[in-house]
Amino acid sequence: MRRLALALLLAVSPLADRAPSAQTLRIAYQGDVVSMDPYAMNETFTTAFLAHINEPLVRRLPDLALEPGLAERWERVTDTLWRFHLRRNVTFHEGEPFTAADVVFSLERVRKPGSAMLARAASIKAVNAVDPHTVEIETDGPAPTLLADLTNILILSKRWAEANGAEEPVDIRARRENHAARHANGTGPFRLQSYAPGERTVLIRNDAWWDRMEGNLREVVLQPVGSDPTRVAALLSGQVDLAWPIPVQDIARVSAAPGIRVMEGLDLRTIFLGMDQSSEELRYSSVKGKNPLADVRVREAMYRAIDIEAIRARLMRGRATPTALLNGPGIEGFDAAQNARRPAFDLARARVLMAEAGYAEGFELGMHCPNNRYVNDEQICQAVAQMLARIGIRVTLTAEPAAQYFGRAQRRDVSFYMLGTTPPTYDSFSTLFGLLMCREETARARGWPTIRGQGQFNHGGFCDREADEAIAAARTELDPARRRVHFAAAWRVMIDRYAYIPLHQQALAWGMREGVTLRQRPDDVLDLRFVRVQ
């Protein structure tokens, strides 16, 4: 199998044809950069990779602490007004100076229809340029997560975007592209040399960067390798310098290989299953004229039919932590008491619930999952399908590459699906705002108060007034203790109503050759600024 996988890699990989320089990092990652437009996809790997090209006003250190980025300093003038002082003498890769006009343009663009990053700017009411190097951001209430949100809003050149017809964000959901989908012009430490989706992306060092780089990279070559055996074989054979994730079943073997080491750690990401609870009829089901997942008894039955300990022990080899929440320890608002309330695996109870709901004989259900984004994602979905068969739910599984899968999920072309989440603010509000709040259009139709962008990733359409009110209250609460009370109320609703089926926090496992040094972040982000190769 290893020889076959390596032969396949050599046959298709452009890496095999090039001799790396001493300062080139060759990466094999399970997925790919979905788009060069930083507002096209709210996904950790894509945003983190693009942050080396386009930069935010505020950025993070390897320990996740905040530090100045394109803004050299800031102050909160009032509870709803922030002033940011921008760095001078910063230029974009094509030579134009970075000014306040670029910040205003970017913060307006990220809030336009089609932007997948709308939730990151949900608190922003207005942005004004005070002078070429000063920007004021007005929020629609106290915004405790504004600085953290800004770490994920990457700044584009206004001149470049307008000259190339990229004033609007790329909309993956509507399959709408423009020049920004495959081209980039940022201020960051690396320039985009080439981008061939699904094949290879090459970055080269920006010698005119305004900051000092701790690492020594001059070139970065990223190749998506979705096959676990092929990715591991590429690392072991020396075709790449860094490969991740290393499958849990291969960690011991890779660690024992000469000249290779595996760096492990805890991941802040939570893997979960979602269910379409709002459609009158499921798109992928044998049940016609009604939606079985709208019945809380069916959702509870599915939850209780999944043996999470079996998944942890067998598929994840113990490298996972089961959870009842969508955030784990390390995220502000994680609630240990609520987390302890995870409903127990109980097949007998699940079968009773199915019968009570009128589905004693079960039904057919389509399930969609990525096959190259999370650790053992397709295998977990296969296991879940087998477990649900024991209560009569016959699952037809469709597993596809993340680039296609995320577009499907954003279009809500799913009935039962897998996703993972790491809130980029490391605060539970981001998770709850995007995943648990009622979709904006649904809440408005019900006459509820709404926040622009709420429920953007609530593909299942869960909707609860009590949860919405608790999340909205946390949004503008500056006192940490009171915010946690609001978070606990929202988590309680999520668990009691079986809004989602949280699975676990996965573990990190990065494999690298000797001579590569880097800092592994707990959010599974590789910061190229700190990488050295020998």
Side-chain angles (χ1 to χ4, degrees):
M1 175 63 74
R2 175 180 169 184
R3 287 194 296 270
L4 177 61
L6 179 56
L8 176 63
L9 179 68
L10 292 173
V12 301
S13 172
L15 296 182
D17 301 327
R18 55 191 293 126
S21 72
Q23 294 173 312
T24 294
L25 180 71
R26 303 163 301 166
I27 303 170
Y29 182 66
Q30 64 179 359
D32 198 5
V33 179
V34 176
S35 173
M36 281 295 136
D37 189 327
Y39 311 154
M41 177 61 65
N42 187 1
E43 187 260 335
T44 300
F45 178 77
T46 294
T47 301
F49 191 86
L50 295 183
H52 299 104
I53 305 170
N54 296 91
E55 297 177 284
L57 296 177
V58 184
R59 66 188 185 187
R60 291 193 184 274
L61 290 164
D63 64 359
L64 304 186
L66 298 175
E67 69 166 352
L70 289 177
E72 61 183 6
R73 58 188 174 86
W74 52 81
E75 62 261 2
R76 188 168 66 188
V77 181
T78 69
D79 281 351
T80 60
L81 184 65
W82 294 72
R83 184 175 297 127
F84 293 83
H85 303 274
L86 309 182
R87 294 188 186 277
R88 299 169 183 265
N89 302 317
V90 175
T91 59
F92 286 92
H93 297 156
E94 293 189 3
E96 66 270 33
F98 160 69
T99 70
D102 302 302
V103 176
V104 173
F105 169 79
S106 297
L107 294 184
E108 290 177 347
R109 185 180 186 270
V110 76
R111 292 181 288 157
K112 289 186 175 182
S115 169
M117 303 297 286
L118 183 60
R120 303 283 68 79
S123 65
I124 296 176
K125 181 179 180 180
V127 186
N128 298 292
V130 177
D131 60 47
H133 297 97
T134 309
V135 169
E136 288 186 343
I137 297 178
E138 182 184 359
T139 60
D140 60 2
T145 64
L146 178 66
L147 294 179
D149 278 318
L150 290 175
T151 66
N152 276 257
I153 301 178
L154 308 182
I155 304 302
L156 279 71
S157 162
K158 180 178 186 289
R159 182 208 63 79
W160 176 84
E162 292 177 342
N164 290 286
E167 297 95 330
E168 305 292 322
V170 167
D171 188 346
I172 289 179
R173 180 175 173 178
R175 299 185 175 92
R176 184 186 72 208
E177 289 199 354
N178 57 42
H179 187 77
R182 301 197 176 210
H183 304 84
N185 174 35
T187 60
F190 291 92
R191 303 164 56 101
L192 178 65
Q193 183 177 74
S194 63
Y195 174 49
E199 297 178 12
R200 189 176 71 180
T201 300
V202 180
L203 304 181
I204 56 174
R205 186 164 180 158
N206 173 24
D207 288 323
W209 189 39
W210 57 269
D211 200 4
R212 182 183 65 84
M213 197 180 311
E214 183 175 304
N216 69 345
L217 299 182
R218 299 210 62 83
E219 181 184 47
V220 179
V221 181
L222 167 70
Q223 181 168 338
V225 183
S227 164
D228 287 343
T230 305
R231 191 168 59 252
V232 170
L235 177 65
L236 295 178
S237 67
Q239 287 294 301
V240 298
D241 308 299
L242 171 67
W244 98 92
I246 301 300
V248 292
Q249 62 271 20
D250 291 327
I251 291 176
R253 177 170 67 92
V254 174
S255 297
I260 302 292
R261 68 188 180 99
V262 175
M263 182 180 291
E264 296 188 71
L266 297 176
D267 193 349
L268 292 175
R269 179 176 288 108
T270 298
I271 308 301
F272 65 93
L273 304 176
M275 299 159 283
D276 180 354
Q277 305 158 50
S278 60
S279 298
E280 292 185 3
E281 178 181 294
L282 292 176
R283 182 169 296 189
Y284 301 100
S285 173
S286 60
V287 179
K288 303 304 176 186
K290 60 180 178 178
N291 179 353
L293 302 185
D295 192 318
V296 68
R297 294 170 296 185
V298 175
R299 301 199 300 271
E300 180 181 352
M302 293 171 66
Y303 200 130
R304 292 189 181 278
I306 295 173
D307 187 346
I308 192 63
E309 282 299 324
I311 292 174
R312 183 195 65 81
R314 298 170 192 169
L315 284 179
M316 303 301 289
R317 309 292 176 96
R319 290 179 168 88
T321 305
T323 183
L325 307 183
L326 296 177
N327 290 153
I331 303 298
E332 174 60 30
F334 169 76
D335 190 310
Q338 293 298 322
N339 194 52
R341 297 178 59 229
R342 180 184 173 87
F345 168 60
D346 189 339
L347 268 182
R349 176 62 180 157
R351 289 173 179 138
V352 169
L353 287 165
M354 288 289 287
E356 289 179 353
Y359 300 102
E361 302 303 318
F363 54 86
E364 296 174 8
L365 179 63
M367 182 181 193
H368 288 85
C369 295
N371 60 13
N372 65 344
R373 181 58 188 96
Y374 312 120
V375 177
N376 284 339
D377 42 16
E378 183 175 3
Q379 296 93 322
I380 292 171
C381 289
Q382 290 170 344
V384 167
Q386 294 170 4
M387 292 171 182
L388 293 181
R390 294 182 289 186
I391 60 171
I393 299 179
R394 301 173 293 281
V395 172
T396 299
L397 174 62
T398 301
E400 53 194 346
Q404 289 76 47
Y405 174 74
F406 286 134
R408 175 192 294 278
Q410 287 194 14
R411 293 189 298 274
R412 300 169 184 165
D413 183 18
V414 288
S415 295
F416 181 42
Y417 57 96
M418 168 187 277
L419 280 177
T421 179
T422 307
T425 59
Y426 310 104
D427 186 281
S428 291
F429 172 75
S430 296
T431 300
L432 294 167
F433 178 77
L435 288 170
L436 195 66
M437 282 196 88
C438 191
R439 293 174 187 164
E440 185 179 356
E441 64 272 18
T442 304
R444 187 180 298 112
R446 295 185 179 189
W448 299 359
T450 60
I451 305 167
R452 190 179 181 196
Q454 70 178 59
Q456 187 176 15
F457 306 105
N458 183 355
H459 306 319
F462 176 79
C463 199
D464 182 270
R465 184 68 180 266
E466 181 184 351
D468 276 18
E469 290 176 350
I471 299 165
R475 173 176 178 255
T476 57
E477 178 56 66
L478 298 177
D479 181 77
R482 287 198 289 265
R483 292 185 83 230
R484 291 177 194 131
V485 171
H486 297 313
F487 289 145
W491 292 132
R492 183 166 52 252
V493 170
M494 188 196 78
I495 295 170
D496 290 346
R497 292 198 55 195
Y498 298 88
Y500 289 96
I501 305 177
L503 296 178
H504 55 239
Q505 274 84 50
Q506 60 185 24
L508 303 175
W510 300 3
M512 63 207 74
R513 68 165 176 82
E514 287 183 351
V516 174
T517 58
L518 52 81
R519 301 190 190 184
Q520 185 182 63
R521 284 174 40 169
D523 56 358
D524 200 25
V525 165
L526 172 65
D527 193 331
L528 297 172
R529 296 178 297 160
F530 299 94
V531 179
R532 298 187 66 84
V533 294
Q534 297 177 355

